[in-house]
Amino acid sequence: MARRETAAGGPGSRALVVDVIRSAGAVSRVELTDITGLTQPTISNIVRDLLAEGIVRETGSSASARGKPRTLLAINPTFRYGVGFHLGADTMTCVAIDLTGGVVGREVVSRAPDDQLAERLAAQYDEFVAGLDLPRGRVDGLAVVAPTPPPGSSAEAAGAGSWLGRARGELRDRIGKPVIVENDAAAAALGEFWSRRISREQAFGCIYVSTGIGAGFVFNGALLRGAGSDAGELGHVSIRHDGRPCPCGNRGCVERYASMVATVDAARDRGELGRRLNLRGATSVSHAYDLVARAAVRGDDAALQVVDQAARYLAVAATSVVNLLDLGRLVLTGPGVALAGSVYARRVRAHLDETAHARRRHGVRVELSAQPRDAASIGAAALVVQAAVAPGHSPDPMR
């Protein structure tokens, strides 16, 4: 069989080897050769470099058909770290992870004003790393993620989509480390891919339910980005051609029916439900949504009907994405599924089982995130780790 080969030890080959070791947990050099299709000398060269850098380590051995035990290789989790910040409306979630995606620290602080962004983020980075007592030389950088402003919105018109990018250079200079800027839903997808040890051979997707709805997709270990790095705007997939108008200019966007904002609006429209849950007294959309979701899972019929209807709309959009990209695995994450995630997962699974185009050829594994509220910040940190130890995945490397 002909072997697929990139430049020996080049970024593509290295990323492939790191991905296989990460997803396997522990694997021998012989197995790496078989799985990757790279030649034995190339595997030997890459593994030698990874061992010398401390990214992987030898750990135990496995039996061989020829009798000689094979030394196993595994990611060295505490050798390097990544830090990720997720900018919310009022707060910022800060997370540090190790090389396997394990969370080693978390903190939620108030959000910095946009006009002081680089200065405040740099100060928070210094305090966060110092507070965790992480060796600064082993922290590979910082990724900052935020929602994409709705197309056609006043935020987009004001340039809110680029203010974080403009702060990137100053922030890099202040902390003396590489900095990545990314959409929060895309980051969440990479975080789930990395921490779940999902194989790069799987076509993987992640749906992020929050005040809006986004998605991220990972193919061959890399995020699918699109022509303008806007791939994954699931919230603006229309599910009703004559539906509710959306700021993006379209009608019937799923975000207008299944986001946290839409669900809260639907609950308020049921006057008695809104009064009973005191939605008027909620301090934010997130607070109001949690009141509805909590009531739903506790058995409140009216609240459950509202959440279930949102889940039905999301399932329609999810099936369209699965059909388009032929996904084999899908994770639901974000604050919108933190409390009532089982309702969404049940509806998405049922709709895929009934309507997915390839359902008779393969199933789609639908899962809930273990840390839905922190998925974007964990994903941000995973961007840093991946760029540091498996370069070659991203067209926008850390600078």
Side-chain angles (χ1 to χ4, degrees), residues 86 147 183-189 192 205-216 232-235 254-264 285-286 289-290 293 306-318 330-345 347-348 366-369 371-376:
H86 179 213
N183 167 268
D184 56 1
E192 294 288 346
C206 180
I207 295 178
Y208 189 83
V209 183
S210 185
T211 51
I213 293 177
E233 284 296 334
L234 177 63
V254 66
E255 195 167 282
R256 303 288 289 129
Y257 297 88
S259 67
M260 291 165 56
V261 173
T263 304
V264 170
V285 170
S286 296
Y289 178 83
D290 282 354
V306 169
V307 173
D308 187 61
Q309 186 61 59
R312 287 173 181 268
Y313 285 125
L314 186 70
V316 172
L330 185 65
V331 170
L332 307 181
T333 191
V337 299
L339 294 175
S342 60
V343 178
Y344 290 87
R347 283 299 177 193
V348 171
V366 179
E367 302 167 303
L368 284 171
S369 173
Q371 301 178 84
R373 295 192 192 275
D374 293 340

Side-chain angles (χ1 to χ4, degrees), residues 151-239:
S153 67
S154 58
E156 185 188 52
S162 60
W163 52 259
L164 187 52
R166 291 195 298 268
R168 178 180 181 178
E170 182 183 349
L171 179 57
R172 180 187 62 233
D173 293 341
R174 284 179 177 271
I175 69 173
K177 293 283 185 177
V179 174
I180 295 174
V181 170
E182 185 56 85
N183 167 268
D184 56 1
L190 184 68
E192 294 288 346
F193 171 81
W194 193 269
S195 60
R196 286 173 179 269
R197 293 183 173 177
I198 294 173
S199 168
R200 64 185 280 130
E201 301 302 320
Q202 284 195 298
F204 172 71
C206 180
I207 295 178
Y208 189 83
V209 183
S210 185
T211 51
I213 293 177
F217 310 103
V218 181
F219 292 88
N220 294 320
L223 276 172
L224 177 66
R225 297 182 182 275
S229 295
D230 285 328
E233 284 296 334
L234 177 63
H236 298 287
V237 169
S238 178
I239 56 174

Side-chain angles (χ1 to χ4, degrees), residues 50-357:
L50 292 173
L51 286 168
E53 294 172 35
I55 293 171
V56 302
R57 61 183 179 181
E58 294 181 336
T59 172
S61 59
S62 65
S64 168
R66 298 178 181 177
K68 183 179 179 181
R70 295 173 177 170
T71 302
L72 298 177
L73 303 163
I75 296 292
N76 184 4
T78 60
F79 182 71
R80 312 292 292 183
Y81 300 92
V83 174
F85 291 173
H86 179 213
L87 302 183
D90 303 306
T91 61
M92 178 169 66
T93 303
C94 311
V95 164
I97 67 168
D98 62 26
L99 285 190
T100 62
V103 175
V104 297
R106 175 186 183 273
E107 184 179 13
V108 179
V109 298
S110 60
R111 158 131 181 204
D114 292 352
D115 60 351
Q116 304 172 17
L117 190 64
E119 178 182 356
R120 291 283 297 276
L121 290 180
Q124 177 60 26
Y125 173 86
D126 290 338
E127 293 173 9
F128 184 60
V129 171
L132 294 175
D133 199 25
L134 296 178
R136 194 174 178 103
R138 287 160 64 183
V139 178
D140 282 313
L142 169 67
V144 185
V145 301
T148 301
S153 67
S154 58
E156 185 188 52
S162 60
W163 52 259
L164 187 52
R166 291 195 298 268
R168 178 180 181 178
E170 182 183 349
L171 179 57
R172 180 187 62 233
D173 293 341
R174 284 179 177 271
I175 69 173
K177 293 283 185 177
V179 174
I180 295 174
V181 170
E182 185 56 85
N183 167 268
D184 56 1
L190 184 68
E192 294 288 346
F193 171 81
W194 193 269
S195 60
R196 286 173 179 269
R197 293 183 173 177
I198 294 173
S199 168
R200 64 185 280 130
E201 301 302 320
Q202 284 195 298
F204 172 71
C206 180
I207 295 178
Y208 189 83
V209 183
S210 185
T211 51
I213 293 177
F217 310 103
V218 181
F219 292 88
N220 294 320
L223 276 172
L224 177 66
R225 297 182 182 275
S229 295
D230 285 328
E233 284 296 334
L234 177 63
H236 298 287
V237 169
S238 178
I239 56 174
R240 296 185 64 175
H241 76 278
D242 59 349
R244 299 168 188 167
C246 180
C248 75
N250 201 358
R251 281 187 170 272
C253 292
V254 66
E255 195 167 282
R256 303 288 289 129
Y257 297 88
S259 67
M260 291 165 56
V261 173
T263 304
V264 170
D265 287 345
R268 284 175 174 151
D269 287 343
R270 297 191 174 209
E272 191 276 333
L273 175 62
R275 289 189 293 273
R276 180 154 43 82
L277 298 181
N278 191 27
L279 297 184
R280 187 180 295 274
T283 56
S284 65
V285 170
S286 296
H287 180 201
Y289 178 83
D290 282 354
L291 292 174
V292 178
R294 189 173 289 111
V297 297
R298 288 178 176 174
D300 185 302
D301 286 340
L304 180 57
Q305 289 173 18
V306 169
V307 173
D308 187 61
Q309 186 61 59
R312 287 173 181 268
Y313 285 125
L314 186 70
V316 172
T319 301
S320 295
V321 169
V322 167
N323 286 344
L324 184 66
L325 298 176
D326 194 24
L327 300 179
R329 193 166 179 178
L330 185 65
V331 170
L332 307 181
T333 191
V337 299
L339 294 175
S342 60
V343 178
Y344 290 87
R346 182 170 62 249
R347 283 299 177 193
V348 171
R349 289 188 188 112
H351 203 267
L352 287 170
D353 287 345
E354 294 172 2
T355 64
H357 183 265

Side-chain angles (χ1 to χ4, degrees), residues 7-30:
S13 298
R14 177 185 169 111
L16 173 59
V17 171
V18 171
D19 269 349
V20 172
I21 298 173
R22 171 196 57 79
S23 60
V27 64
S28 70
R29 290 169 176 80
V30 172

